Amino acid sequence: MSLEKARSLPLSTVHIQDSFWSRYIRLVKDDIIPYQWDVLNDRVPEAMKSYCIHNFRVAAGDMTGAFRGEVFQDTDVAKWLEAVAYTLEAYPDEGLEALADDIIELIERAQGDDGYLNTYFTLKEPNGRWLNLMEGHELYTAGHMIEAAVAYYQATGKRRFLDVVIRLADAIDEQFGPEENKCHGYPGHQEIELALVKLYHVTKEKKYLNLAKYLIDVRGVGKNYFLQEEERPTFKHIFPDFKDYDPVYSQSHLPVIMQNEAVGHSVRAVYMYCAMADLAYETNDEVLMNACTRLWNNMVNKRMYITGGIGSSGILERFTTDYDLPNDENYSETCASIGLALFGKRLAEITKDASYMDVVERALYNTVLAGIAADGRSFFYVNPLEVWPDNCMLGTSKEHIRAVRQKWFSVACCPTNISRTLASLGQYIYFQENDKLYINLFISNKTKVTLGDTELDITLETKFPFENEIELNIKANKCKRASIYIRVPNYAENFHIWVNKKRNEEIPIEKGYVVIEKEFCEDKLEIVFEAPARYVRANPKVRADAGKTAIVKGPLVYCLEEMDNGDNLAAIYADTSQKLLESYDKELLNGTLVVYGKGKRLKDTKWHDDELYKTIEPELEDMTFKAIPYCFWCNRQPGEMMVWLKEHM
Amino acid sequence: MSLEKARSLPLSTVHIQDSFWSRYIRLVKDDIIPYQWDVLNDRVPEAMKSYCIHNFRVAAGDMTGAFRGEVFQDTDVAKWLEAVAYTLEAYPDEGLEALADDIIELIERAQGDDGYLNTYFTLKEPNGRWLNLMEGHELYTAGHMIEAAVAYYQATGKRRFLDVVIRLADAIDEQFGPEENKCHGYPGHQEIELALVKLYHVTKEKKYLNLAKYLIDVRGVGKNYFLQEEERPTFKHIFPDFKDYDPVYSQSHLPVIMQNEAVGHSVRAVYMYCAMADLAYETNDEVLMNACTRLWNNMVNKRMYITGGIGSSGILERFTTDYDLPNDENYSETCASIGLALFGKRLAEITKDASYMDVVERALYNTVLAGIAADGRSFFYVNPLEVWPDNCMLGTSKEHIRAVRQKWFSVACCPTNISRTLASLGQYIYFQENDKLYINLFISNKTKVTLGDTELDITLETKFPFENEIELNIKANKCKRASIYIRVPNYAENFHIWVNKKRNEEIPIEKGYVVIEKEFCEDKLEIVFEAPARYVRANPKVRADAGKTAIVKGPLVYCLEEMDNGDNLAAIYADTSQKLLESYDKELLNGTLVVYGKGKRLKDTKWHDDELYKTIEPELEDMTFKAIPYCFWCNRQPGEMMVWLKEHM
């Protein structure tokens, strides 16, 4: 814990040019950000109205009208600006920056003289500020504003937005804290804590770190704050469903350092864990760090889908219990997997242990990417591992499952969250700590790293995840002894490195990274490993997956779709005694590796449609099934989808 | 359709003395009715308060106070009285009758001078009568009152309660009907329609039949009535969840004769279908009868659990789509299976087709009986086919699933519905139509049947469902030519009948009944068939059961429980190539037939608790599993339960 932590390289220095990811990053810049801008301005006829800009205009006095939308509607604007910031950092664009500056100016004018900034409370509940932390999302919304402003400042150097959120943070700091005259509450939806740590970093103003620490430390201590709120005679619910509030939902049932299990609303959980990791590092708090590790282990070893999805319950979007991972009724919100990646990245930065990045990579390549259509125009909020469109009916237990991606949502956290994640993907590839450079993800890019007085120009080229050869060309402006840490993924077999064409057999491995320590001048590193498509099983305690198998290749989880395999995927058995066949199809889904397997299918030829139960021997017929990456599902035509296949035993 | 329908024998003539059922019927009389009486009077400390009698006392002016409980709270009293009536009919009991008379007197005093009777509206919403048919349950509650009063009149001959509901029905008749000055609405929860047909039968007053017909015929015609209600400026929701009301929920989306699929809330559906069948018969309406048949076929051939459960969705307790029969998240309300039995019984009476009774028997022996604990003191409302107690968590998608029976419910329809069903079981055993006697269920009893001027004393003795020998002794007070129709269950093999010790090889079968037509004087019929425990499969279109098998013996569905088979029942495969072994255990669960099977279990010895996914070959080990009847599950200690087992193929 006394070590320095590794840190991401600035996005401005990491230029991604990758066969797998670049089209999504281009989509963010060229399509998604403009599209989301239109949505925020209610200009997309086929999408639900967002009223986001409308609300700010009304709050700024530019027009009259009422607040519309959800209590946290402002966050869509914040996350859009955050995505814009990351994009601008990597790809400067005057027009986009001017658009962002305009909206920042609007936000500034919507801010109160006292620093308060929230269009819902300003317009709809002016006397309700800070009185419903349980449901009001004020601190959550402020957190997203702060994150966006910090990103925008880092991208552009412009202070206007940063100054807005500094005034906002100061207003919050005046309101919350241990002092007797301050509010001893904390957010119903965590988020501001990690944002305040970011604000501390750019401002060096310790009070923001202290405020973040206060909000984390006070959580779950003594009588639950939200239950206290609820007891006030003037309290009124924003969401009527929240009567009989259970503090577990917002992880406020126990002080955070006493929490051992990932519980409650999964996005709230992981955002809180991120702040806990930040604070554990900043304040060198081993007890808090141990809580992070315990929560991480419980989450990823007992409560996480193979796709990096978390949150097994459709109702309340929450964690349930160990090994409860139903495939067809789970929530597994896209935002939750983004939060999982953010948490894992922090733990990897602190511990420099590559195993965290195995999980981060799993989340990014599967659930996060599945959340967005190949054209960037529609999104999944909920990410089941098995879908039968017929039963995804509104007004039923599967009403949260959508069999096709949606244009927009009334609660639109996920689309904007995906944008900001894709736009900031460069932050996951490299970490640096003094003269050590960590390479976490195999995504082609060019970057420039400053190690002390030396600059390294690095080019990483690969066709990963469909091929597993990575070439690194490193050119130093003057020769420099340094260490390059290259992650050895947990799925890699026969991992080898050639350093300047010489196969290096005895490279040390530290916490999942091979370490190349040498004087770098002009060097070529070639990394090769095998990651064939293979059958994976779940712990038999996972009732939903017992007797089933999933196909993975490297970080990619594969799935079957109806259009490739016919309907009723539940009738298919994988014959795991036979080899999987990999085949790259350059026409399919913008180019993807397809996996074929041998299987058997339950025949239904002896059944009439109006027979439901009878005594009959089941019959199987041989078949070949075709699997595609889960992240690409539902990009052709809607239909059934399935990750976990029955295994013929 | 021009045929006369067969009818149940009066309960007073059917004396059940059965090794399987009698203890439940005794429980109804000796324990459940007194226990429920205490519950209705809020005298059971560990059960939720019902406030039922409280509400009537307040409405009658005996005490002051507010209405407490749900909008349909009165129905618990009605169903209690209905169960009491059936019980009194079979087992006269002065004390119980006096108790019932007291409460009837109280009900009468709670009735308005205008005949209106409903404590919720009288006490809480006196100006809200008939203004929220969508949610108000006024007609539903009235229906249960009428059913109870008819039953009580038939049991005791006393008119007081009947006169109360006649005044109530007259008040409703003044309110509803096709005339321009009347309300053209219909109940949000169907029930009164079938009750009005019963009232017509005892009173011979045709206006009740006409009112029932009106309420069925007007349903779903033109603009939906509930949506019209909702548009009224003064409309207020009783259940906030019901905003954005979907008429499918209450089967009011289409005129009933145009409905082809069992949709919406399953109890509402089957209660409505019962009335449709009644009216189809009474009015000789072939179009309506065809609708009944279509709906029945859709329901039982595509949307019914093997246990006779219906309603696949936990949310809104409703039907979903064809073949959607998830085992661990379904609702399958006990009341819905009772309604299914009531509907099937009606179709069997009209068509004299035994196949309807196959389904009725399935519902009674499995879901209905599972709804009540062996001690009669706790109840299941929801009847999944697979339970893992760990994930039956409040505030999750499985929050409606209870891993143990509950003492009482705030919405307590099921316990009282089970009581009245058990108390009226005799009505399912026999039907009579002129000189034809139908024997539907193999439940030991003595009865007296009047065929014209002849009386037959019938004794039916059997140890069914654990043995399949049935002895019928028939003694006529004078010899009489008659036909006895004996149901040949769809699971029966090698069905044989000996008539007076002579094996009868060429007995005609009519619609699933063997017909013994002869002059009966003093005769013995012996029926023997085989119904070994066997493996059944579901249509492979049922995704949830594909590759699985269920064990049935006769009408009984079997299940595995954790206490017999260890935890993680999902890891068990049935080896269906090996025979099932039946063994009667007289100590177990008051005596039951246990079924043992050979199987294999997925080993987890190579897995650590903190490993979730890995590449490992699955290993199976041989095991013997033990299955008990589903209706008896969770009568020992709580734990996992599973009906559909994986099949080793």
Side-chain angles (χ1 to χ4, degrees):
Chain A
M1 277 303 292
S2 53
L3 291 173
E4 196 173 331
K5 100 176 172 180
R7 293 179 191 279
S8 298
L9 299 183
L11 284 177
S12 58
T13 66
V14 183
H15 299 284
I16 295 173
Q17 287 287 355
D18 185 66
S19 55
F20 188 84
W21 285 102
S22 278
R23 54 181 306 281
Y24 286 97
I25 295 168
R26 269 198 309 274
L27 271 179
V28 171
K29 181 176 188 311
D30 299 340
D31 290 304
I32 304 175
I33 285 176
Y35 173 76
Q36 292 185 347
W37 176 246
D38 287 340
V39 172
L40 296 178
N41 284 281
D42 304 322
R43 291 187 207 128
V44 180
E46 72 274 22
M48 301 179 88
K49 286 203 174 199
S50 86
Y51 300 104
C52 286
I53 301 301
H54 160 96
N55 292 332
F56 277 103
R57 292 230 166 94
V58 177
D62 294 355
M63 55 188 278
T64 55
F67 176 90
R68 301 289 294 273
E70 302 287 339
V71 67
F72 37 70
Q73 208 70 10
D74 292 355
T75 59
D76 291 351
V77 176
K79 275 187 278 187
W80 182 82
L81 279 168
E82 191 181 349
V84 167
Y86 297 141
T87 299
L88 290 176
E89 193 172 351
Y91 310 97
D93 177 321
E94 280 180 27
L96 183 58
E97 191 168 327
L99 205 62
D101 285 340
D102 281 351
I103 179 75
I104 287 166
E105 189 263 348
L106 176 64
I107 291 171
E108 187 180 40
R109 288 191 294 109
Q111 187 171 36
D113 294 338
D114 56 0
Y116 188 82
L117 175 63
N118 184 307
T119 68
Y120 174 88
F121 283 94
T122 298
L123 298 176
K124 196 165 173 179
E125 292 285 348
N127 299 318
R129 289 186 189 180
W130 314 125
L131 291 178
N132 186 345
L133 298 182
M134 183 205 285
E135 303 166 327
H137 286 73
E138 273 165 301
L139 293 167
Y140 168 81
T141 302
H144 275 302
M145 282 290 164
I146 294 168
E147 278 205 276
V150 168
Y152 199 73
Y153 170 71
Q154 288 177 321
T156 64
K158 292 179 178 169
R159 282 200 64 97
R160 181 177 228 167
F161 196 11
L162 188 66
D163 289 335
V164 166
V165 301
I166 284 173
R167 290 194 292 275
L168 172 59
D170 290 345
I172 293 168
D173 189 49
E174 273 173 40
Q175 192 70 28
F176 293 89
E179 296 83 356
E180 211 173 313
N181 63 336
K182 288 189 179 178
C183 173
H184 301 155
Y186 37 86
H189 194 315
Q190 303 92 314
E191 150 66 27
I192 193 170
E193 303 89 337
L194 72 90
L196 287 167
V197 178
K198 288 186 174 182
L199 188 61
Y200 156 68
H201 274 287
V202 293
T203 62
K204 311 291 177 214
E205 186 66 70
K206 193 124 192 206
K207 70 174 172 184
Y208 302 129
L209 184 68
N210 291 341
L211 179 57
K213 182 168 157 51
Y214 175 73
L215 292 174
I216 287 291
D217 287 350
V218 75
R219 192 172 198 87
V221 174
K223 172 153 186 186
N224 187 271
Y225 186 79
F226 307 124
L227 299 182
Q228 293 183 48
E229 279 189 333
E230 225 178 359
E231 283 172 6
R232 282 186 212 130
T234 53
F235 183 83
K236 61 178 177 188
H237 280 284
I238 297 170
F239 302 102
D241 292 355
F242 275 75
K243 62 178 162 61
D244 307 320
Y245 188 78
D246 180 357
V248 164
Y249 177 68
S250 57
Q251 299 81 33
S252 58
H253 58 303
L254 279 178
V256 301
I257 53 167
M258 292 175 66
Q259 297 190 21
N260 300 318
E261 291 185 326
V263 297
H265 186 268
S266 53
V267 176
R268 287 164 215 240
V270 284
Y271 282 10
M272 178 176 86
Y273 304 159
C274 285
M276 287 165 64
D278 287 342
L279 289 164
Y281 173 73
E282 297 294 346
T283 64
N284 199 15
D285 184 338
E286 206 158 335
V287 173
L288 194 55
M289 188 64 192
N290 287 340
C292 289
T293 314
R294 284 196 311 273
L295 290 164
W296 173 269
N297 287 338
N298 174 255
M299 181 164 58
V300 307
N301 296 336
K302 294 180 181 166
R303 301 184 178 198
M304 182 184 73
Y305 287 88
I306 193 167
T307 52
I310 49 174
S312 297
S313 171
I315 293 181
L316 294 179
E317 315 169 0
R318 53 171 279 188
F319 289 103
T320 56
T321 190
D322 290 346
Y323 309 114
D324 181 38
L325 295 160
N327 292 305
D328 63 346
E329 61 173 79
N330 48 315
Y331 207 78
S332 300
E333 185 175 337
T334 311
C335 288
S337 289
I338 288 171
L340 174 71
L342 291 170
F343 181 35
K345 174 173 176 287
R346 282 163 167 81
L347 294 179
E349 287 172 334
I350 297 170
T351 62
K352 294 143 217 173
D353 184 333
S355 68
Y356 293 106
M357 293 308 294
D358 286 324
V359 175
V360 170
E361 190 187 55
R362 186 192 287 267
L364 292 173
Y365 276 84
N366 297 288
T367 301
V368 177
L369 199 52
I372 183 168
D375 65 1
R377 292 299 177 99
S378 59
F379 305 90
F380 279 132
Y381 200 109
V382 172
N383 296 281
L385 280 73
E386 191 174 317
V387 169
W388 176 29
D390 286 6
N391 75 356
C392 298
M393 298 167 72
L394 287 177
T396 73
S397 295
K398 297 229 167 56
E399 66 180 9
H400 59 291
I401 309 284
R402 294 286 177 279
V404 294
R405 289 181 185 80
Q406 308 289 297
K407 286 287 174 196
W408 200 252
F409 305 85
S410 61
V411 177
C413 48
C414 297
T416 46
N417 223 342
I418 295 170
S419 302
R420 69 169 186 152
T421 303
L422 289 169
S424 61
L425 191 66
Q427 294 180 341
Y428 294 86
I429 301 175
Y430 296 104
F431 297 156
Q432 183 189 356
E433 183 211 355
N434 300 325
D435 289 350
K436 296 175 183 167
L437 181 72
Y438 292 84
I439 301 179
N440 296 302
L441 299 182
F442 306 120
I443 296 174
S444 300
N445 74 88
K446 285 182 202 293
T447 191
K448 202 184 279 291
V449 187
T450 308
L451 301 180
D453 55 354
T454 308
E455 278 205 340
L456 298 185
D457 277 309
I458 297 179
T459 307
L460 189 161
E461 283 177 292
T462 182
K463 288 177 180 158
F464 185 84
F466 299 138
E467 297 178 17
N468 304 302
E469 285 148 33
I470 297 116
E471 189 177 309
L472 268 169
N473 284 291
I474 300 158
K475 199 171 167 186
N477 64 347
K478 63 178 182 192
C479 292
K480 165 84 177 175
R481 188 156 191 92
S483 302
I484 294 188
Y485 285 67
I486 300 163
R487 172 171 154 259
V488 184
N490 59 354
Y491 47 76
E493 299 167 16
N494 297 321
F495 189 98
H496 291 295
I497 292 194
W498 281 261
V499 178
N500 296 324
K501 298 286 180 192
K502 186 170 162 241
R503 176 152 159 179
N504 204 326
E505 298 296 351
E506 299 202 359
I507 306 177
I509 295 194
E510 265 183 51
K511 294 186 189 170
Y513 292 98
V514 291
V515 186
I516 312 286
E517 188 183 354
K518 65 184 287 292
E519 191 176 65
F520 286 95
C521 301
E522 186 164 350
D523 298 278
K524 182 190 284 294
L525 305 185
E526 289 162 292
I527 301 145
V528 177
F529 58 87
E530 291 165 28
R534 60 203 166 93
Y535 286 113
V536 170
R537 281 84 185 175
N539 189 316
K541 287 186 166 55
V542 180
R543 272 69 172 166
D545 300 336
K548 293 185 176 178
T549 184
I551 298 161
V552 299
K553 177 183 170 61
L556 294 174
V557 175
Y558 274 68
C559 70
L560 271 59
E561 283 200 294
E562 179 175 338
M563 69 173 297
D564 298 319
N565 299 285
D567 72 351
N568 201 359
L569 301 177
I572 294 176
Y573 285 80
D575 179 353
T576 56
S577 67
Q578 299 203 50
K579 281 213 169 124
L580 290 167
L581 177 76
E582 302 179 25
S583 165
Y584 188 79
D585 184 338
K586 69 180 198 307
E587 304 298 328
L588 187 68
L589 295 159
N590 305 301
T592 190
L593 191 95
V594 174
V595 174
Y596 295 93
K598 293 292 181 189
K600 292 175 192 295
R601 187 195 300 269
L602 208 52
K603 289 171 74 168
D604 62 2
T605 40
K606 293 193 180 156
W607 287 84
H608 295 290
D609 277 358
D610 60 356
E611 288 177 317
L612 200 45
Y613 307 108
K614 65 179 175 181
T615 308
I616 187 175
E617 293 296 312
E619 286 181 65
L620 297 172
E621 60 188 349
D622 288 341
M623 56 101 64
T624 298
F625 62 79
K626 175 177 177 178
I628 62 154
Y630 173 78
C631 55
F632 296 151
W633 88 273
C634 202
N635 270 306
R636 293 171 295 167
Q637 61 193 43
E640 292 183 47
M641 181 278 290
M642 183 172 282
V643 168
W644 287 97
L645 301 179
K646 292 184 176 68
E647 181 164 2
H648 190 248
M649 290 198 263
Chain B
M1 279 302 292
S2 53
L3 291 173
E4 195 172 336
K5 100 177 171 178
R7 293 180 191 278
S8 299
L9 299 184
L11 284 178
S12 58
T13 66
V14 183
H15 299 283
I16 295 174
Q17 287 287 356
D18 185 67
S19 55
F20 188 84
W21 286 101
S22 278
R23 54 181 306 280
Y24 286 98
I25 295 168
R26 266 198 310 274
L27 271 178
V28 171
K29 181 174 188 313
D30 298 339
D31 290 303
I32 304 175
I33 285 176
Y35 173 75
Q36 292 185 346
W37 175 247
D38 287 340
V39 172
L40 297 178
N41 283 280
D42 305 324
R43 290 188 207 129
V44 180
E46 71 275 21
M48 301 179 89
K49 285 203 172 197
S50 86
Y51 300 104
C52 286
I53 302 300
H54 161 96
N55 291 332
F56 277 103
R57 292 232 166 94
V58 177
D62 293 354
M63 55 189 278
T64 55
F67 176 90
R68 302 289 293 274
E70 301 287 339
V71 67
F72 37 70
Q73 207 70 9
D74 292 355
T75 59
D76 290 351
V77 177
K79 276 187 277 186
W80 182 82
L81 279 167
E82 192 181 348
V84 167
Y86 298 140
T87 299
L88 289 177
E89 193 173 349
Y91 310 96
D93 179 321
E94 279 180 29
L96 182 59
E97 190 169 328
L99 205 61
D101 285 340
D102 282 351
I103 179 76
I104 287 165
E105 188 265 349
L106 175 64
I107 291 171
E108 185 179 43
R109 288 191 294 110
Q111 186 171 36
D113 293 337
D114 56 0
Y116 188 82
L117 175 62
N118 184 307
T119 68
Y120 174 88
F121 284 93
T122 299
L123 298 176
K124 194 166 174 178
E125 292 284 349
N127 300 317
R129 288 187 190 180
W130 315 124
L131 293 177
N132 185 344
L133 299 183
M134 182 205 284
E135 304 165 328
H137 286 74
E138 274 164 300
L139 293 167
Y140 168 81
T141 303
H144 275 302
M145 282 290 164
I146 294 168
E147 278 205 276
V150 169
Y152 198 74
Y153 171 71
Q154 288 177 321
T156 64
K158 292 179 178 170
R159 281 199 65 96
R160 180 176 228 167
F161 196 11
L162 188 66
D163 289 335
V164 166
V165 301
I166 285 173
R167 290 194 294 274
L168 172 59
D170 289 345
I172 293 167
D173 189 49
E174 271 172 42
Q175 191 71 27
F176 293 89
E179 296 82 358
E180 210 172 315
N181 63 338
K182 288 189 179 178
C183 173
H184 300 156
Y186 36 86
H189 194 317
Q190 303 91 315
E191 151 65 26
I192 192 170
E193 303 89 338
L194 72 90
L196 286 167
V197 178
K198 288 186 175 183
L199 187 61
Y200 156 67
H201 273 288
V202 293
T203 62
K204 311 291 176 213
E205 187 65 71
K206 194 126 191 205
K207 69 176 174 183
Y208 303 129
L209 184 68
N210 291 341
L211 179 57
K213 182 168 156 52
Y214 174 72
L215 293 174
I216 287 291
D217 286 351
V218 76
R219 192 171 199 88
V221 174
K223 172 153 184 185
N224 187 271
Y225 185 80
F226 307 124
L227 299 181
Q228 293 182 48
E229 279 188 333
E230 225 177 358
E231 284 172 5
R232 281 185 213 134
T234 53
F235 182 82
K236 62 178 178 189
H237 279 285
I238 296 170
F239 303 102
D241 292 355
F242 275 75
K243 62 179 161 62
D244 307 320
Y245 188 78
D246 180 357
V248 165
Y249 176 68
S250 58
Q251 301 81 32
S252 59
H253 58 303
L254 279 177
V256 301
I257 53 167
M258 293 174 66
Q259 297 190 22
N260 299 320
E261 292 185 324
V263 297
H265 186 269
S266 54
V267 177
R268 286 164 215 239
V270 284
Y271 282 9
M272 178 177 85
Y273 305 158
C274 285
M276 288 165 63
D278 287 341
L279 289 163
Y281 173 74
E282 298 293 345
T283 65
N284 200 15
D285 184 340
E286 208 157 335
V287 172
L288 194 55
M289 188 65 193
N290 287 341
C292 289
T293 314
R294 285 197 310 275
L295 290 164
W296 173 268
N297 288 338
N298 175 255
M299 181 164 58
V300 307
N301 296 335
K302 293 180 180 166
R303 302 184 178 199
M304 182 183 73
Y305 287 89
I306 193 167
T307 52
I310 49 174
S312 297
S313 171
I315 292 181
L316 294 178
E317 316 170 359
R318 53 170 279 188
F319 290 103
T320 57
T321 191
D322 290 345
Y323 309 114
D324 181 38
L325 295 161
N327 292 306
D328 64 346
E329 61 174 81
N330 49 315
Y331 207 78
S332 300
E333 185 175 337
T334 311
C335 287
S337 290
I338 289 171
L340 174 70
L342 291 170
F343 181 34
K345 174 174 176 286
R346 282 163 168 79
L347 294 179
E349 286 172 333
I350 296 169
T351 63
K352 294 145 218 170
D353 184 332
S355 68
Y356 293 106
M357 294 309 294
D358 286 326
V359 176
V360 170
E361 188 187 56
R362 186 191 287 267
L364 292 174
Y365 277 84
N366 296 289
T367 301
V368 176
L369 199 52
I372 183 169
D375 66 0
R377 293 299 177 99
S378 59
F379 306 91
F380 279 132
Y381 200 109
V382 172
N383 295 283
L385 279 72
E386 191 175 316
V387 169
W388 176 29
D390 285 7
N391 75 356
C392 298
M393 297 167 72
L394 286 177
T396 73
S397 295
K398 296 227 168 56
E399 65 180 7
H400 59 290
I401 309 284
R402 294 286 178 281
V404 294
R405 291 182 184 80
Q406 307 289 297
K407 287 286 174 196
W408 200 253
F409 305 85
S410 61
V411 178
C413 48
C414 298
T416 45
N417 224 341
I418 295 170
S419 302
R420 68 168 186 152
T421 304
L422 289 169
S424 62
L425 192 65
Q427 293 180 341
Y428 295 86
I429 301 175
Y430 296 103
F431 297 156
Q432 182 189 356
E433 183 210 355
N434 301 324
D435 289 350
K436 296 175 184 166
L437 181 71
Y438 293 83
I439 301 178
N440 296 302
L441 299 183
F442 306 120
I443 297 174
S444 300
N445 73 89
K446 286 182 202 290
T447 191
K448 201 183 281 289
V449 187
T450 307
L451 301 180
D453 56 353
T454 307
E455 281 207 336
L456 299 185
D457 277 307
I458 298 179
T459 307
L460 190 162
E461 282 177 292
T462 182
K463 288 176 181 161
F464 185 84
F466 298 137
E467 297 178 17
N468 303 303
E469 287 148 32
I470 298 116
E471 189 177 310
L472 268 168
N473 285 291
I474 300 159
K475 198 171 169 186
N477 64 347
K478 62 180 182 191
C479 292
K480 165 84 177 176
R481 189 157 189 92
S483 302
I484 294 188
Y485 285 66
I486 299 163
R487 173 171 154 258
V488 183
N490 59 355
Y491 47 77
E493 300 167 14
N494 297 319
F495 189 99
H496 291 296
I497 292 193
W498 281 261
V499 178
N500 296 324
K501 298 286 180 189
K502 185 170 163 240
R503 178 154 157 178
N504 205 326
E505 298 294 352
E506 300 201 359
I507 305 177
I509 294 194
E510 264 184 52
K511 295 185 188 171
Y513 291 98
V514 292
V515 187
I516 312 286
E517 188 183 353
K518 67 185 287 290
E519 191 176 65
F520 286 94
C521 300
E522 186 164 351
D523 298 278
K524 183 191 287 289
L525 305 185
E526 289 161 291
I527 301 145
V528 177
F529 58 87
E530 290 164 28
R534 61 205 167 91
Y535 286 113
V536 169
R537 280 83 184 176
N539 190 316
K541 288 187 165 55
V542 180
R543 273 67 173 167
D545 300 336
K548 294 185 177 178
T549 185
I551 297 161
V552 299
K553 177 182 171 60
L556 294 173
V557 175
Y558 275 68
C559 70
L560 271 59
E561 283 200 293
E562 179 175 340
M563 70 174 296
D564 297 320
N565 299 285
D567 71 351
N568 201 358
L569 301 177
I572 295 176
Y573 285 80
D575 180 352
T576 56
S577 68
Q578 300 203 51
K579 280 213 171 126
L580 290 167
L581 177 75
E582 301 178 26
S583 165
Y584 187 80
D585 184 339
K586 70 181 196 309
E587 304 299 327
L588 187 68
L589 295 159
N590 304 301
T592 192
L593 191 95
V594 175
V595 174
Y596 294 93
K598 292 292 181 189
K600 292 175 192 295
R601 187 195 300 269
L602 208 52
K603 289 170 76 169
D604 62 1
T605 41
K606 292 190 179 158
W607 287 84
H608 295 290
D609 277 357
D610 61 355
E611 288 176 318
L612 200 45
Y613 307 108
K614 64 180 176 180
T615 309
I616 187 175
E617 294 295 313
E619 287 181 63
L620 297 172
E621 61 189 349
D622 289 340
M623 56 100 66
T624 298
F625 61 77
K626 175 178 177 178
I628 63 155
Y630 173 78
C631 55
F632 295 151
W633 88 274
C634 202
N635 270 306
R636 292 172 294 168
Q637 62 193 44
E640 293 184 46
M641 182 278 291
M642 183 171 280
V643 168
W644 287 98
L645 301 179
K646 291 184 175 69
E647 181 164 2
H648 191 250
M649 290 198 265

